[in-house]
Every structure is written in C-alpha cells, then in structure tokens.
C-alpha cells in the first residue's frame, strides 16, 4: 500500500520551471504520451522515455555533444597556448636589439 502512495506522488510531481505539466506525461525525445500502466525508461534521474530506443538515442546525442564540447575546449586552449608563444617570441625579438 505504501508503494502505491509513493508511486502516485512520483507521477504527480511537477518539474521546476514547467508549471502545469506533470513530469511523466510524455517521452522527452519523441513526446509520445506515457501510459501509467507501462514501463517508463529513465535517464539522468528525472528524464522519462517511452522506450529503450528513445533513451539510447538521447544518450547517444549527449555523448556526441560532450565529445564536441571537449574538442572545442581543446582547440581553444591550444590556440591560447600558440597565441601566448607568438607574443613572447615577438617581445624577445624587440628586446634583443644591438647598438
């Protein structure tokens, strides 16, 4: 009996920032309505999906986004290092003037 009360509370919870919309009404990827008597596949704690396929697709998108973000960060840091090295060498050329 206590499990059904906890389950009912979970289904009635509203996420922050989305008043009026219940947390488990629809799949986060395809927006298919989620039935209360069917399996719900969760990802990252509170993101519901209608199937393992939708959840896997979201996981794949997240992984690709993380790889791209990592590459951009790496490119920015290497560009900063190259830019810092060029400015140091330019200053060295100016300071080595002979009279």
């Amino acid at each position: 009996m206590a499990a059904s009360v906890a389950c009912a509370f979970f289904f009635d919870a509203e996420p922050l920032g989305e008043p009026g919309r219940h947390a488990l009404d629809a799949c986060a990827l395809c927006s298919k309505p989620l039935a209360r008597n069917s399996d719900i596949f969760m990802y990252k704690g509170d993101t519901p999906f209608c199937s393992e396929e939708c959840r896997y697709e979201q996981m794949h998108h997240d992984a690709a986004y993380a790889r791209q973000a990592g590459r951009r960060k790496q490119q920015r840091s290497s560009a900063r290092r190259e830019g810092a090295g060029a400015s140091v060498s330019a200053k060295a050329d100016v300071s080595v003037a002979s009279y």
Side-chain angles (χ1 to χ4, degrees):
M1 178 112 176
S4 64
V5 172
C7 185
F9 172 74
F10 187 71
F11 273 100
D12 292 335
E14 290 185 11
L16 296 176
E18 294 185 40
R21 180 167 176 185
H22 292 283
L24 299 175
D25 280 347
C27 176
L29 187 68
C30 70
S31 300
K32 177 181 172 184
L34 298 174
R36 290 184 182 226
N37 60 352
S38 65
D39 288 337
I40 297 174
F41 300 87
M42 302 299 288
Y43 174 57
K44 289 192 173 181
D46 60 353
T47 308
F49 295 92
C50 64
S51 65
E52 288 185 67
E53 291 79 18
C54 279
R55 183 178 62 180
Y56 177 77
E57 189 172 335
Q58 183 64 50
M59 292 168 75
H60 183 72
H61 287 301
D62 289 352
Y65 179 78
R67 282 192 302 271
Q68 288 175 350
R71 281 188 219 126
R72 284 191 299 265
K73 184 178 178 181
Q74 186 178 23
Q75 288 171 348
R76 283 192 303 265
S77 65
S78 65
R80 279 189 221 134
R81 276 186 257 132
E82 290 173 3
S87 65
V88 168
S89 65
K91 289 179 184 177
D93 289 341
V94 172
S95 64
V96 182
S98 60
Y99 294 99

